[in-house]
Amino acid sequence: MGKHKKMSDIIIQIDGKEVKAAEGMTVLEAAQSADIFIPTLCHHEKLEPRGLCRICTVEAEVRGWTKFVAACLYPVEQDLVVRTRSEKVDRIRKMILEFLLAHAPYSPQLQDLAQEYGADKDRFEKESSFCILCGLCVRYCAEVKKKNAVGFVDCGSRREIRFIPEIAVKECHSCKECFALCPTSYLQAAFVLTEALAFSKDASQTALKK
Amino acid sequence: MPRINSASELEELRKGVLSERDPDKPCIAICAGMGCLGLGNGRVISAFEEEVNKKDLKTKVDIRATGCHGYCEKGPMVVIYPEEICYVEVTPKDVPEIVSQTVLGKKVIDLLIYTDPDTGEKAAHQSEIPFYKNQMRHIIGNNTKIDPRSIDDYLAVGGYSALSKSLLEMSPEKVLDEIKKANLRGRGGGGFRAGRKWETARNAPGEEKYVIVNAHEGELGAFMDRAIFTGNPQSVLEGLIIGAYAVGSHRGFIYTRHDTPQLKNNIDMALAQAEEYGLLGENILGSGFSFNVEVHLDIGIFVSGESSALMRSIEGNAPEPRPKYIHTSVKGIWKKPSVLNNVETWANVPLIIDNGSEWYASTGTARSKGTKLVSLSGNIVNTGVAEVPFGTTIREIVYGIGGGIPKGKKLKAVHFGGPIGGSIPESLLDTPLDFDELAKLGASIGAGSMLVLDEDTSMVDVARYFLDFLSNESCGKCVPCREGIRQMLKILTNIRDGKVREGDIELLEEIAEVTGAASLCALGKTAADPLRSTLRYFRDEYETNIEKMKRPAEKRE
C-alpha cells in the first residue's frame, strides 16, 4: 500500500461492508485490504494490472448505474457500491472458466475455481493449446526482468505467446522465473519447443556454460 | 504561395482565386474517387487530357480530377460544368464525342446520360437523377467542385471562412457552445455528443491536449469517410483546427489507412498547402493560435480503429484497447486529454460555424441533427455513398436512392454497422435513420454502412461471417471477447455444416451475454450484436436449420 498516501480518502461499499480506500486504488486492492476475496488469474502484485482474464469481474454501482467491471483495473470513487458475487457475476465467471478449461482442463488453479462456480470442464470442445494467455510470463519478463524474451504474437483467436529465440538463448537458461507463474503447463512446453527448434547447438551450449 | 495573416487577407485571396475563374468556362469534372478508380477512370482522365491537348483547348477548358461523386454503381462519373451535365459509365472512347458535342457544342449526348432502368426516363443533370435527387448533400456535395489537391478550389467554395470566423470573431467557449447547441453527435459509431467530449477535454487538467481524426474506417461496407477525406481533405482539416481551438489543443493527429495511398497523398498535400497559406502552424491567420498536425498510419486490423487502441497505436504501442474507466478525453494519448472524432464528424464542424447551430439543428430528428452519410452495398441496385438528413426512412434510402433490390428479388434485411452492428427486417424499413431509434432495434447505425440483403441470404451465414471477421480482427487480449468469439463462431459453423446440437441457440445467447458484459472494450462488448439481432428477427432461420439437421439424412432436401 506504499504508493497510496492516505488511506481514509474514500469510503466505498463492498458486499455491504464499508471499506476505506485511497484515491488511485483499484477495487481489487480495496477488497484485499478488507480481506474480501475476489478471484484473479492474470493478476500479480509485481505487475501492472491488465484486465485480461476478466475473472475478477464484479458488479459496480455508480450513481444508480450498475455495470460489470474488472476489479483489478476499476478505480475506487466515493460512494461506489461493489458486489463481488451476484447471479450474473457468477454466470460470467463460470463461463470464463469453461472457456479456459477448454484449453487447460488440468490446471489446478482453474479446477479449484471451477468447483466454486460450478464450471463444466467439458462444456466446450478441447482446444489444442494449453495456454490461457494470462500473459504473466510475458509481463514478468518485460516488467520485472526487462528482457522481453517471451512475447505475444498475432491477434484475435490466433494470439499466442512465443519465445524470441535470439533473446531466449541468452537469457532464459539462467532465469526461468516465469515457469512458476504459469497456471498451466504450456509455458514450459513452449520453452522446450523453442529450445529444440530454434537454438543452435553451439549457442545453447555457450549459454549453458555461462 | 502567400502567407495569410488576417481575415481580410483571406478574403482578398479568395477574391483573387474567384476573379481568375470564369464561371462560364467549361470544366470537365471526372470522379477520381476510389470506386471509379477501380472502374478505370485513370484512362478516362488521360483520354480527356489528350483530347483537350489535341484540340488545342487547354486554355479554354478546365479538367478537374475530383473526389468521389457518390454514385459508384455508375462510375466512372463525369460532370460537365457550367451546365452540370452528368455522364455515367464513361469510357475513353466516349471522350472525343463528349468534348466536341457537349463541352464545345453544348449538346447533351443521350446515350451517355442516366436512364432509369424501370421507367426508361432520362436525366441529363445530376440533380435530376433519382440517386441524387433524394439526397441532401451538405458534406459531400462539394466533392464534384473540388480538386482535392488544390486548396484554391476549397477557398473558391467558401473554405476556411469558418476557421477565420472561429479564430477571429469567436472565443473558444463560444465555438464550443455552438457545437453543443447544434447537438453534433459522433459519426464513428457511438453517437456520443461531440460538444460534451470537447468540453471534458477542455476542462481536464493539463496544458498539453490533443485532437485526433479517426480515419481508420475499418467497418465492413463503410466507404463514406474515405470519400470525404480523399475528396475534400481541407474540410476535415478545417473542422479539426476549429476543434483544436475550442479544446485548447496545439497538436493534432490524423490516424488513417496504410493501404490507401491516394487518401494519404491527398491528406499530405492538404496539410502542406494549408501550412503554406498559414492556415496551419504558428499564429494561424494572425490570431495568435498555433496548431500542428501529424499523420499516422494504422496497423491494419479492425480493432486499431477503437479509440483507446488507436491512441496506443499513435503512442507507438501495439493497437490494443485499454480500459476506459477514465475517459480518453481526460486521459488519452500519453495520458493527456485527447479528443477523437471521426472524419465525418470533423467535416460537420465548419458547416455549423458557418451557418450557425440553429440552421444546423433545423435538419434531422429531435435527437439526431444534420445529415448522415451512408454507404450502400450488398444486394442493391445503386451501390454508392449517399447523404441524407437524419429522419429519412430506411425504405426511402433503399428504394428512393438505392433503387431497390436487383433482379426483382425481395428485401430480407438491412444490416447496419458492420461486424459490431445489427440487422433489421423488411417489416421495420419505415424506421427513420436516427441514432437512438436504430439502437433501440438492436441495429446501431455504426459509421453508416448499410448492407442490403435479399431473400436468398442466410442470416445464420451473415452472423457467422461477421464473427469470422472479428476472430481475426480483434486484439485477442481479453478472454470473454477472444474465447467467446471463438466458441460462437464454432457453433455457427456447426449449424452451417449440419453438425448441430440441441441447445445450441440457448448456448449462443449465453455466450453473447457474457461477451457483452465482461469484455474489455467496445469491440468485445458489441461483438455478438450481429448474432443477437439475427436471433431477434430471424430466429426461425436458426431453428429451421436445426430442425432440418435433426431429421434423418434421407429425408433431407
Side-chain angles (χ1 to χ4, degrees):
Chain A
M1 291 303 140
K3 59 182 166 173
H4 309 296
K5 285 177 198 137
K6 281 185 281 175
M7 270 301 288
S8 54
D9 283 348
I10 293 169
I11 309 272
I12 67 168
Q13 210 192 77
I14 306 180
D15 296 340
K17 191 176 162 186
E18 268 196 7
V19 174
K20 280 182 191 170
E23 171 107 35
M25 262 170 110
T26 64
V27 166
L28 181 66
E29 286 169 329
Q32 283 170 342
S33 74
D35 286 328
I36 296 169
F37 177 72
I38 296 172
T40 57
L41 284 169
C42 71
H43 189 262
H44 190 284
E45 55 184 9
K46 282 189 185 162
L47 305 176
E48 280 293 312
R50 295 281 301 276
L52 306 181
C53 73
R54 318 302 282 182
I55 199 80
C56 69
T57 297
V58 294
E59 250 181 63
E61 196 185 310
V62 193
R63 291 174 285 275
W65 285 89
T66 298
K67 47 187 176 179
F68 294 88
V69 301
C72 70
L73 287 167
Y74 197 79
V76 293
E77 61 177 301
Q78 189 61 41
D79 299 328
L80 174 72
V81 177
V82 176
R83 286 177 283 274
T84 67
R85 298 285 294 252
S86 72
E87 200 203 322
K88 189 157 174 183
V89 165
D90 282 13
R91 223 165 45 232
I92 290 169
R93 290 189 189 150
K94 174 176 178 283
M95 185 157 282
I96 286 174
L97 289 166
E98 287 166 341
F99 285 152
L100 299 179
L101 285 160
H103 290 271
Y106 303 112
S107 155
Q109 221 180 325
L110 291 180
Q111 281 176 335
D112 287 352
L113 285 167
Q115 207 169 3
E116 174 72 24
Y117 291 94
D120 172 5
K121 73 171 169 48
D122 299 318
R123 183 151 196 207
F124 297 108
E125 197 183 57
K126 293 286 161 292
E127 296 292 335
S128 53
S129 162
F130 288 169
C131 183
I132 61 167
L133 295 166
C134 65
L136 286 172
C137 53
V138 174
R139 291 148 61 209
Y140 188 84
C141 194
E143 293 174 31
V144 177
K145 306 298 289 187
K146 305 206 183 309
K147 299 293 186 202
N148 298 299
V150 57
F152 287 119
V153 295
D154 228 324
C155 57
S157 58
R158 296 189 312 267
R159 188 177 175 96
E160 58 181 46
I161 58 152
R162 208 174 283 173
F163 282 89
I164 320 304
E166 292 80 354
I167 306 173
V169 73
K170 280 189 270 165
E171 308 291 345
C172 293
H173 283 290
S174 60
C175 172
K176 294 183 181 169
E177 286 167 33
C178 60
F179 283 24
L181 299 174
C182 182
T184 78
S185 46
Y186 184 78
L187 180 70
Q188 211 157 348
F191 180 74
V192 172
L193 198 65
T194 311
E195 206 177 22
L197 294 176
F199 291 8
S200 75
K201 249 190 192 140
D202 294 348
S204 47
Q205 252 140 38
T206 323
L208 277 173
K209 273 176 207 157
K210 274 184 186 170
Chain B
M1 281 202 276
R3 206 195 126 88
I4 315 163
N5 295 307
S6 66
S8 55
E9 281 182 36
L10 175 68
E11 291 319 311
E12 277 302 306
L13 178 73
R14 195 191 314 280
K15 236 185 265 167
V17 168
L18 287 170
S19 69
E20 281 167 25
R21 296 184 178 202
D22 173 4
D24 297 326
K25 185 180 178 188
C27 174
I28 307 163
I30 311 146
C31 176
M34 260 159 271
C36 288
L37 200 69
L39 293 164
N41 71 347
R43 282 178 289 124
V44 175
I45 296 170
S46 2
F48 271 114
E49 281 165 351
E50 268 169 45
E51 187 67 18
V52 164
N53 273 342
K54 208 166 76 188
K55 295 228 161 106
D56 211 12
L57 295 168
K58 249 189 142 173
T59 51
K60 298 191 187 89
V61 176
D62 286 332
I63 295 176
R64 190 191 296 140
T66 73
C68 177
H69 295 191
Y71 202 179
C72 309
E73 186 71 40
K74 292 283 177 193
M77 304 281 297
V78 174
V79 179
I80 313 291
Y81 287 97
E83 293 83 9
E84 291 196 27
I85 293 163
C86 179
Y87 290 137
V88 299
E89 294 173 328
V90 176
T91 62
K93 70 173 174 30
D94 301 325
V95 166
E97 206 189 343
I98 294 176
V99 172
S100 62
Q101 295 282 319
T102 309
V103 177
L104 299 175
K106 305 291 175 196
K107 275 187 290 226
V108 173
I109 306 164
D110 257 13
L111 272 176
L112 292 175
I113 59 174
Y114 173 83
T115 312
D116 192 299
D118 299 327
T119 61
E121 219 171 288
K122 288 187 175 279
H125 301 98
Q126 202 179 55
S127 55
E128 296 154 9
I129 299 174
F131 178 81
Y132 291 104
K133 201 163 63 182
N134 300 310
Q135 295 190 40
M136 186 186 268
R137 292 162 58 87
H138 287 170
I139 305 276
I140 204 175
N142 277 335
N143 267 24
T144 53
K145 297 173 198 143
I146 287 174
D147 172 352
R149 302 168 75 78
S150 157
I151 191 170
D152 286 355
D153 278 8
Y154 185 60
L155 293 177
V157 297
Y160 284 106
S161 59
L163 179 69
S164 157
K165 186 174 168 184
S166 300
L167 295 187
L168 304 164
E169 295 169 34
M170 295 165 84
S171 66
E173 293 84 358
K174 183 84 188 66
V175 173
L176 180 62
D177 205 42
E178 277 298 293
I179 301 300
K180 277 164 71 184
K181 276 199 216 143
N183 199 3
L184 174 63
R185 293 176 69 175
R187 265 46 169 176
F192 195 80
R193 278 163 184 57
R196 226 171 96 189
K197 209 188 245 184
W198 293 17
E199 192 171 37
T200 308
R202 180 176 170 77
N203 295 337
E207 284 298 302
E208 187 90 13
K209 289 168 188 180
Y210 308 120
V211 287
I212 313 151
V213 182
N214 187 351
H216 176 257
E217 197 172 47
E219 183 175 304
L220 294 172
F223 43 92
M224 59 296 234
D225 279 355
R226 65 202 83 179
I228 305 170
F229 214 177
T230 315
N232 191 353
Q234 298 289 356
S235 69
V236 181
L237 182 60
E238 185 181 2
L240 182 72
I241 307 169
I242 295 171
Y245 175 67
V247 167
S249 157
H250 302 287
R251 188 172 174 194
F253 299 93
I254 293 170
Y255 191 77
T256 189
R257 305 195 62 85
H258 72 287
D259 55 2
T260 315
Q262 190 196 15
L263 173 58
K264 169 80 163 54
N265 291 342
N266 288 5
I267 293 170
D268 286 344
M269 178 77 102
L271 292 177
Q273 291 183 349
E275 205 166 341
E276 259 186 83
Y277 272 162
L279 297 164
L280 192 64
E282 303 308 305
N283 193 16
I284 297 170
L285 286 170
S287 67
F289 176 71
S290 303
F291 179 66
N292 288 289
V293 179
E294 299 164 29
V295 180
H296 281 247
L297 295 182
D298 70 5
I299 304 298
I301 66 168
F302 181 62
V303 75
S304 62
E306 191 275 340
S307 63
S308 63
L310 182 152
M311 292 187 195
R312 279 189 70 81
S313 184
I314 288 177
E315 289 170 354
N317 295 308
E320 290 175 3
R322 59 185 154 201
K324 290 191 281 187
Y325 298 139
I326 297 168
H327 287 296
T328 47
S329 42
V330 177
K331 273 188 184 176
I333 302 175
W334 298 301
K335 297 192 172 150
K336 309 276 192 248
S338 306
V339 169
L340 176 77
N341 282 127
N342 94 322
V343 169
E344 189 183 339
T345 316
W346 290 119
N348 270 280
V349 171
L351 271 183
I352 296 171
I353 300 299
D354 263 333
N355 303 292
S357 56
E358 213 168 291
W359 169 87
Y360 185 82
S362 66
T363 303
T365 64
R367 298 185 58 207
S368 302
K369 300 298 185 191
T371 61
K372 178 80 193 81
L373 278 106
V374 292
S375 50
L376 299 168
S377 66
N379 306 122
I380 191 153
V381 171
N382 296 330
T383 300
V385 177
E387 184 180 351
V388 292
F390 274 110
T392 309
T393 68
I394 308 309
R395 191 181 300 281
E396 285 174 279
I397 298 172
V398 172
Y399 289 94
I401 295 168
I405 317 301
K407 297 177 200 150
K409 294 250 168 79
K410 280 192 208 128
L411 182 141
K412 181 183 263 185
V414 178
H415 185 89
F416 291 87
I420 51 176
S423 306
I424 60 165
E426 209 276 338
S427 59
L428 293 172
L429 276 197
D430 292 311
T431 306
L433 189 74
D434 178 285
F435 285 113
D436 311 301
E437 292 295 322
L438 282 166
K440 261 191 258 167
L441 298 175
S444 76
I445 194 167
S449 69
M450 284 174 62
L451 181 63
V452 181
L453 304 165
D454 73 14
E455 54 186 321
D456 295 341
T457 314
S458 154
M459 296 311 284
V460 178
D461 274 354
V462 170
R464 192 194 160 277
Y465 169 76
F466 285 128
L467 281 167
D468 186 35
F469 173 82
L470 288 179
S471 78
N472 293 313
E473 301 284 329
S474 60
C475 75
K477 170 165 140 171
C478 82
V479 174
C481 174
R482 181 186 70 240
E483 300 300 325
I485 290 171
R486 190 201 308 273
Q487 296 302 344
M488 288 187 283
L489 178 59
K490 269 193 184 177
I491 298 168
L492 289 174
T493 307
N494 281 343
I495 294 180
R496 185 197 64 182
D497 297 345
K499 286 184 280 177
V500 77
R501 294 173 310 179
E502 194 73 44
D504 270 354
I505 295 181
E506 292 72 20
L507 180 55
L508 281 172
E509 285 174 321
E510 214 185 312
I511 301 173
E513 190 201 8
V514 169
T515 301
S519 294
L520 188 147
C521 80
L523 185 155
K525 286 188 200 296
T526 52
D529 281 6
L531 168 72
R532 277 197 193 131
S533 81
T534 53
L535 277 170
R536 179 169 170 183
Y537 299 113
F538 304 96
R539 199 180 180 95
D540 57 322
E541 285 192 32
Y542 288 83
E543 283 163 354
T544 318
N545 248 315
I546 290 172
E547 280 307 310
K548 219 188 318 182
M549 296 316 156
K550 280 200 293 199
R551 270 182 268 155
E554 65 267 23
K555 284 191 190 164
R556 270 185 222 155
E557 284 161 39

